Amino acid sequence: MDHSELAAKAVNEAQGNTVSVVFSADQDLARSLKDTLNVTTSPGKLMNAIYDDERLADRLEGGQLGIYTADSHLSPEEAARQMAQRVLVSLPGKQDEGCIAMVETFDGSYYAVALTWHHTLPPEIQYILSTL
């Protein structure tokens, strides 16, 4: 079951009044996550399979994926809030938009994938920093 909208809402609300990255639910990311979970639940293999998904190739370029899990004893809302707290740790230095997907597996466990991008510095700043 797809809970991506719930995950986006949870991570946006978890940021409080100082939202640094606005997340939206991403159905292609959710499909990729769901398809991959049919084969493996290993976080490393999940990440590799999602990066290899041709449906996401353009979006993943330069992006950073985070994989998050929550136990089956939680409600979808509790799982989304729990994973949102973990997503917050990865947000400093990221661009102001991100994508998220959250699915529930057949055994009731929850998996989320958050996609964010780092800010890129202008070339002149990169040059100055490289000379220091």
Side-chain angles (χ1 to χ4, degrees):
M1 179 172 281
D2 186 345
H3 297 290
S4 299
E5 293 289 338
L6 186 60
K9 181 180 179 199
V11 75
N12 289 334
E13 288 177 355
Q15 294 177 73
N17 293 331
T18 57
V19 175
S20 62
V21 179
V22 176
F23 280 87
S24 60
D26 188 293
Q27 295 309 306
D28 288 335
L29 198 56
R31 271 188 230 102
S32 182
L33 177 59
K34 191 172 187 174
D35 291 350
T36 304
L37 284 168
N38 288 328
V39 178
T40 184
T41 58
S42 163
K45 290 180 181 178
L46 279 172
M47 190 171 299
N48 289 338
I50 292 169
Y51 271 119
D52 290 342
D53 190 330
E54 292 182 16
R55 295 175 290 193
L56 301 171
D58 291 343
R59 219 164 318 143
L60 291 173
E61 191 172 317
Q64 180 180 356
L65 285 176
I67 305 278
Y68 307 91
T69 61
D71 292 330
S72 59
H73 70 277
L74 300 172
S75 71
E77 293 80 10
E78 292 169 325
R81 284 192 299 270
Q82 184 183 84
M83 289 188 276
Q85 291 303 313
R86 292 189 220 138
V87 171
L88 292 180
V89 176
S90 70
L91 298 184
K94 300 294 174 62
Q95 291 182 10
D96 58 0
E97 293 182 4
C99 301
I100 194 163
M102 178 179 146
V103 299
E104 183 177 354
T105 62
F106 67 92
D107 70 353
S109 297
Y110 302 93
Y111 288 80
V113 177
L115 175 61
T116 55
W117 296 269
H118 284 284
H119 279 291
T120 54
L121 297 172
E124 57 275 8
I125 302 296
Q126 290 179 10
Y127 172 76
I128 292 169
L129 292 174
S130 71
T131 61
L132 297 177

